[in-house]
């Protein structure tokens, strides 16, 4: 009699995109923490950081015969291959950052490679923890056919005491890490649902 094969949960590949280009960014620190949490305690979730810093400013003059600059093509391929997305969105002037909007727009050019995928947003910042930027990103997601999880929301006031991050932007706060884990679990469930699979 053959032994039963025990399979783990289906693999979900996550493209992680940060709206800040600064290496010590708290928002980038949230993505590093999410990657560590996924390896330690969220089976079946693989998070890859996708760097948006090489992307040129969007300019349709750079589109030639349906092709894009090499950096844009590489970025779009990473987005297309992912099952879902994790955005770390800092807040600049009550909205998303220029680099993040630029990345969103490049990947939306025909064909839109964001469409019909699950997504989640996390933010660290001042008093509202970057929350206003999330609402603007959600508005863009409506047109892009991105399906954001509704709950849990994750906003973190990075400047409250005790310190939430170390001097290099690494997340220290245990409660925030637990909340981040809940976001990842919710994203995983929603991504599987959109793929017609169960955990």
């Amino acid at each position: 009699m053959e032994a039963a094969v025990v399979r783990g949960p289906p693999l979900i590949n996550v493209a992680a995109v940060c709206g800040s280009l600064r290496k010590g960014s708290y928002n980038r620190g949230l993505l590093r923490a999410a990657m560590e949490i996924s390896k330690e305690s969220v089976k079946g979730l693989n998070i890859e950081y996708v760097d948006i810093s090489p992307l040129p400013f969007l300019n349709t003059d750079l589109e030639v015969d349906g092709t894009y600059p090499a950096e844009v093509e590489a970025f779009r391929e990473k987005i297309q291959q992912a099952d879902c997305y994790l955005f770390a969105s800092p807040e600049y002037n009550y909205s998303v950052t220029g680099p993040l909007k630029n990345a969103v727009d490049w990947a939306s050019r025909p064909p839109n490679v964001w469409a019909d995928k699950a997504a989640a947003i996390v933010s660290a910042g001042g008093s509202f923890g970057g929350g206003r930027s999330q609402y603007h990103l959600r508005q863009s997601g409506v047109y892009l056919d991105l399906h954001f999880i509704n709950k849990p929301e994750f906003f973190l006031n990075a400047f409250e005491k005790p310190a939430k991050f170390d001097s290099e932007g690494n997340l220290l706060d245990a409660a925030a890490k637990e909340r981040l884990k809940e976001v990842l679990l919710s994203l995983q469930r929603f991504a599987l649902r959109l793929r017609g699979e169960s955990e």
Side-chain angles (χ1 to χ4, degrees), residues 68-111:
Y68 300 94
E71 301 88 347
V72 175
E73 292 281 12
F75 172 69
R76 286 171 55 84
E77 185 175 350
K78 294 259 186 201
I79 297 304
Q80 188 165 32
Q81 290 175 347
D83 297 299
C84 60
Y85 313 109
L86 177 62
F87 293 97
S89 182
E91 182 180 312
Y92 287 9
N93 299 320
Y94 280 25
S95 189
V96 298
T97 66
L100 181 55
K101 185 61 166 62
N102 187 55
V104 166
D105 291 344
W106 268 126
S108 75
R109 296 296 297 159

Side-chain angles (χ1 to χ4, degrees), residues 26-184:
Y26 294 150
N27 285 276
R28 192 162 173 182
L30 291 179
L31 293 184
R32 283 196 299 273
M35 294 168 78
E36 291 170 7
I37 292 166
S38 69
K39 289 175 183 175
E40 293 169 1
S41 56
V42 183
K43 292 181 180 178
L45 201 66
N46 177 56
I47 303 176
E48 179 183 0
Y49 176 74
V50 180
D51 186 9
I52 64 174
S53 64
L55 295 175
F57 287 127
L58 190 142
N59 179 349
T60 54
D61 288 345
L62 300 176
E63 301 176 20
V64 180
D65 297 327
T67 65
Y68 300 94
E71 301 88 347
V72 175
E73 292 281 12
F75 172 69
R76 286 171 55 84
E77 185 175 350
K78 294 259 186 201
I79 297 304
Q80 188 165 32
Q81 290 175 347
D83 297 299
C84 60
Y85 313 109
L86 177 62
F87 293 97
S89 182
E91 182 180 312
Y92 287 9
N93 299 320
Y94 280 25
S95 189
V96 298
T97 66
L100 181 55
K101 185 61 166 62
N102 187 55
V104 166
D105 291 344
W106 268 126
S108 75
R109 296 296 297 159
N112 170 23
V113 293
W114 298 112
D116 297 321
K117 303 281 184 72
I121 319 171
V122 295
S123 297
S127 59
F128 192 26
R132 296 179 189 89
S133 72
Q134 294 197 18
Y135 297 136
H136 279 192
L137 187 54
R138 284 177 180 273
Q139 286 177 332
S140 294
V142 171
Y143 183 74
L144 299 174
D145 292 324
L146 263 175
H147 306 296
F148 285 102
I149 64 169
N150 291 324
K151 295 176 183 175
E153 293 182 304
F154 186 102
F155 318 122
L156 181 63
N157 187 329
F159 306 104
E160 284 183 333
K161 301 296 183 186
K164 302 295 186 289
F165 296 87
D166 67 17
S167 60
E168 296 180 347
N170 297 305
L171 184 62
L172 300 172
D173 189 79
K177 288 182 180 181
E178 191 57 36
R179 289 170 50 214
L180 194 52
K181 179 181 175 181
E182 292 304 314
V183 170
L184 297 179

